[in-house]
């Protein structure tokens, strides 16, 4: 694994999952592995879970950790090539990234979709420049199209709570007042397909995800039908992805808010969400406060998805 940006970067998903469970049982087992190694986490966007869990994961492995909120302490970055830099951006990403790479052994990057240009977002314009120019392994801490550390934690959580070998997992769109990226649902689908679970994706018409991420799945537009017999409900909002409405909120239909009415037709399903979550928009208080809600253990598992990924990268660095 040279970089970690998607489930496809793992050589062996089952082995990575077992490593995460091993680390959960013994978080300090490899506390000397990262001695004299530096993890530098670059945030273009806000974060609570990713920021804290990835730092803690690095610390558990004995790494030095630097967190850089690039838009708050750094120079405003130009990301376009071939431009005359006579505006308000004094530094080009083409220099900034290799310089950052000189100060660390692994870089984590968070750079959300900007919704200005679909081709730029789906081409991972920012993340790709880190991969191309950093000179060290890059870990995606949520990029424009995927959030792999979240999806890995989701997989760990489902493995812990499932009661049948192949659970029915439902990814449900839910309303939100602002336009959110498709990274979490895209990535979730990839990891659930890789795990071999039964997966149903449900959303209102117009919210179709990119075919490349749907893995041949057909969306179910009837949310109640989708929820029927489900073992896990994964709620998430995302903005429209089609070329005409890319990045727009085209519905805030609160009949899609996950509530007791929908949960009643499931197989006593567990409720999941990556957080942060808007209560009574995405999910009712009643559902998120119920014993079936596993959003907190899901967030806890962010520690172990990050630690597993960092350990795999450190093993490779130390072997060089
Ligand atoms: N789920 C998640 O990535 O949370 P943060 O945005 O708070 O990091």
């Amino acid at each position: 694994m040279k970089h970690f940006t998607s489930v496809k970067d793992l050589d062996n998903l089952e082995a990575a999952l077992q490593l995460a469970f091993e680390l959960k049982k013994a978080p300090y087992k490899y506390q000397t592995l990262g001695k004299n190694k530096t993890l530098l986490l670059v945030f273009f966007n806000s974060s609570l879970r990713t920021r804290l869990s990835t730092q803690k994961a690095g610390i558990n492995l004995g790494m030095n950790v630097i967190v850089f909120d690039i838009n708050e302490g750094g120079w405003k970055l130009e990301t376009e090539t071939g431009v005359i830099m006579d505006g308000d951006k004094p530094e080009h990403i083409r220099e900034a990234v290799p310089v950052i790479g000189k100060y660390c052994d692994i870089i984590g990057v968070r750079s959300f979709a900007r919704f200005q240009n679909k081709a730029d977002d789906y081409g991972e314009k920012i993340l790709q420049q880190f991969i191309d120019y950093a000179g060290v392994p890059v870990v995606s801490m949520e990029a424009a199209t995927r959030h792999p550390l979240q999806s890995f934690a989701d997989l760990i959580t489902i493995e812990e709570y499932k009661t049948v070998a192949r659970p029915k997992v439902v990814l449900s769109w839910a309303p939100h007042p602002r336009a959110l990226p498709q990274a979490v649902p895209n990535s979730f689908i990839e990891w659930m397909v890789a795990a071999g679970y039964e997966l149903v994706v449900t959303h209102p018409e117009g919210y179709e995800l990119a075919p490349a991420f749907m893995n041949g799945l057909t969306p179910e537009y009837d949310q109640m039908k989708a929820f029927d017999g489900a073992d896990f409900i994964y709620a998430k909002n995302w903005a429209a992805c089609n070329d005409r409405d890319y990045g727009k909120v085209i519905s805030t239909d609160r009949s899609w808010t996950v509530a007791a009415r929908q949960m009643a037709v499931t197989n006593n399903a567990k409720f999941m969400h990556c957080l942060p979550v808007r209560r009574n928009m995405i999910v009712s208080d009643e559902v998120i406060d119920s014993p079936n809600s596993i959003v907190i253990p899901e967030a806890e598992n962010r520690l172990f998805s990050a630690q597993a990924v960092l350990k795999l990268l450190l093993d490779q660095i130390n072997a060089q």
Side-chain angles (χ1 to χ4, degrees):
M1 179 168 66
K2 279 165 97 172
H3 306 282
F4 179 73
T5 65
S6 95
V7 67
K8 293 170 196 141
D9 291 321
L10 291 176
D11 298 328
N12 184 330
L13 177 57
E14 181 55 32
L17 195 53
Q18 292 313 317
L19 173 60
F21 288 129
E22 180 192 355
L23 292 165
K24 189 163 184 176
K25 274 195 203 124
Y28 304 110
K29 185 173 174 185
Y30 302 104
Q31 62 184 347
T32 58
L33 190 69
K35 185 173 162 50
N36 295 333
K37 297 285 183 292
T38 298
L39 173 65
L40 205 159
L41 306 178
V42 181
F43 287 89
F44 287 84
N45 312 97
S46 304
S47 168
L48 186 156
R49 281 140 291 272
T50 306
R51 174 186 299 265
L52 299 179
S53 64
T54 314
Q55 283 186 66
K56 178 72 170 110
I59 291 166
N60 285 359
L61 293 165
M63 301 185 82
N64 302 308
V65 185
I66 300 171
V67 178
F68 184 25
D69 288 303
I70 200 159
N71 291 328
E72 284 171 28
W75 301 108
K76 205 167 179 184
L77 284 189
E78 178 59 67
T79 57
E80 299 299 321
T81 49
V83 293
I84 297 167
M85 289 174 59
D86 61 352
D88 64 341
K89 296 172 184 160
E91 176 141 34
H92 202 284
I93 195 167
R94 185 67 185 81
E95 285 78 51
V97 169
V99 169
I100 292 169
K102 293 294 179 201
Y103 303 149
C104 64
D105 301 277
I106 299 174
I107 298 182
V109 187
R110 166 162 284 201
S111 70
F112 291 172
R114 294 189 282 190
F115 289 147
Q116 290 164 0
N117 180 316
K118 186 175 176 182
D120 284 353
D121 288 344
Y122 273 72
E124 290 289 6
K125 192 168 189 167
I126 305 295
L127 180 68
Q128 194 56 48
Q129 296 198 65
F130 274 84
I131 289 169
D132 290 345
Y133 305 131
V136 296
V138 173
V139 174
S140 166
M141 300 193 299
E142 186 171 344
T145 63
R146 292 180 175 92
H147 193 356
L149 288 174
Q150 178 65 52
S151 308
F152 189 5
D154 298 334
L155 176 61
I156 295 166
T157 311
I158 292 174
E159 283 294 302
E160 287 177 328
Y161 283 87
K162 74 180 188 184
T163 54
V164 292
R166 187 169 180 263
K168 176 177 176 181
V169 179
V170 175
L171 168 63
S172 179
W173 180 92
H176 192 281
R178 297 181 57 189
L180 298 186
Q182 295 102 24
V184 169
N186 285 344
S187 202
F188 185 75
I189 293 170
E190 287 189 329
W191 285 72
M192 295 302 103
V193 168
Y197 299 151
E198 180 185 352
L199 177 65
V200 178
V201 180
T202 185
H203 56 74
E205 289 191 44
Y207 277 101
E208 289 75 13
L209 292 163
F213 287 97
M214 283 296 281
N215 283 272
L217 295 166
T218 304
E220 171 57 68
Y221 296 118
D222 182 335
Q223 191 190 32
M224 291 299 282
K225 207 166 151 187
F227 275 44
D228 188 27
D231 299 297
F232 292 89
I233 300 299
Y234 195 96
K236 185 70 184 84
N237 173 267
W238 61 88
C241 188
N242 65 70
D243 291 346
R244 193 191 60 189
D245 298 320
Y246 180 67
K248 291 185 185 155
V249 175
I250 56 172
S251 168
T252 52
D253 179 357
R254 286 187 48 219
S255 72
W256 281 77
T257 301
V258 176
R261 172 179 70 86
Q262 295 100 319
M263 294 301 282
V265 302
T266 68
N267 182 28
N268 197 27
K270 300 295 185 201
F271 175 81
M272 300 178 72
H273 188 279
C274 61
L275 306 181
V277 69
R278 288 188 184 238
R279 284 170 172 252
N280 304 310
M281 283 296 295
I282 299 284
V283 58
S284 70
D285 285 336
E286 189 182 10
V287 170
I288 196 167
D289 291 332
S290 77
N292 282 30
S293 171
I294 54 172
V295 296
I296 304 303
E298 179 184 358
E300 182 187 2
N301 282 332
R302 292 293 308 275
L303 271 171
F304 307 107
S305 62
Q307 205 173 327
V309 167
L310 292 175
K311 179 182 182 297
L312 292 171
L313 291 172
L314 284 170
D315 283 342
Q316 284 184 17
I317 292 167
N318 289 337
Q320 283 167 4

